[in-house]
């Protein structure tokens, strides 16, 4: 077998349909486009959502409602972050001041990643079930 003798398997390649090449092709005359009308013409079509001049649906419906993503911004803090912080009492403002949480954050949740040996009292800060166990085991509490 040589590179110049390679051929595709029998039936793997088939001739491309030749449109508008005479009556014998089965797609002569109108070339499968039917008779007259916008869709039969070359270059004749419309943009997505066009309804023939009727007011499009996206313009007929009223525009209302919007929820800013920045307002429901949730942040995460790990147990190792709390350990490194070294504060006895932690709340949202403390975490923002330490730079552990973005300024836009509205809610904070502690996740169980790393170790915690300090007794930390959390106020208005959520925690996962595993993180809550780890905090209470270290002598801390959630309020």
């Amino acid at each position: 077998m040589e590179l110049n003798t390679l051929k595709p398997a029998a039936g793997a390649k088939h001739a491309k349909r030749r449109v508008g090449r005479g009556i014998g092709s089965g797609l002569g005359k109108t070339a499968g486009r039917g008779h007259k009308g916008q869709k039969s013409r070359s270059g004749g079509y419309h943009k997505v959502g066009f309804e023939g001049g009727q007011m499009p649906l996206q313009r007929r419906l009223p525009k209302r409602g919007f929820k800013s993503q920045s307002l429901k911004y949730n942040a995460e803090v790990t147990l190792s972050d709390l350990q490194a912080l070294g504060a006895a009492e932690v709340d949202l403002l403390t975490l923002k001041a330490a730079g552990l949480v973005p300024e836009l954050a509205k809610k904070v949740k502690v996740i169980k990643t790393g170790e915690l040996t300090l007794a930390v009292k959390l106020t208005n800060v959520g925690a996962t079930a595993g993180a809550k166990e780890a905090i209470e085991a270290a002598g801390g509490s959630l309020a």
Side-chain angles (χ1 to χ4, degrees), residues 99-110:
L100 292 173
V101 166
E103 284 296 317
L104 290 174
K106 303 286 180 193
K107 293 179 183 176
V108 181
K109 197 170 214 179
V110 180

Side-chain angles (χ1 to χ4, degrees), residues 33 37-47:
R33 287 171 174 258
Q38 187 179 23
K39 294 204 283 187
S40 73
R41 318 254 187 239
S42 70
Y45 222 69
H46 51 74
K47 63 184 178 190

Side-chain angles (χ1 to χ4, degrees), residues 23-111:
I23 199 166
S25 70
L27 286 172
K29 193 177 172 241
T30 54
R33 287 171 174 258
H35 291 277
K36 298 185 183 173
Q38 187 179 23
K39 294 204 283 187
S40 73
R41 318 254 187 239
S42 70
Y45 222 69
H46 51 74
K47 63 184 178 190
V48 176
F50 184 70
E51 299 182 25
Q54 172 176 300
M55 188 60 69
L57 184 68
Q58 74 271 17
R59 291 188 61 197
R60 289 198 301 267
L61 297 176
K63 305 291 177 277
R64 57 182 295 273
F66 172 77
K67 255 186 195 174
S68 173
Q69 294 298 323
S70 65
L71 290 177
K72 55 180 189 176
Y73 194 87
N74 298 326
E76 288 180 349
V77 176
T78 62
L79 290 175
S80 51
D81 288 339
L82 292 178
Q83 180 73 29
L85 188 61
E89 291 191 15
V90 176
D91 62 349
L92 184 59
L93 292 173
T94 312
L95 294 169
K96 283 182 180 180
L100 292 173
V101 166
E103 284 296 317
L104 290 174
K106 303 286 180 193
K107 293 179 183 176
V108 181
K109 197 170 214 179
V110 180
I111 57 172

Side-chain angles (χ1 to χ4, degrees), residues 2 24 36 51 53 64 82 84 116 119 125 128-129 134 142:
E2 299 291 329
K36 298 185 183 173
E51 299 182 25
R64 57 182 295 273
L82 292 178
L116 181 68
V125 176
T128 61
L142 284 121

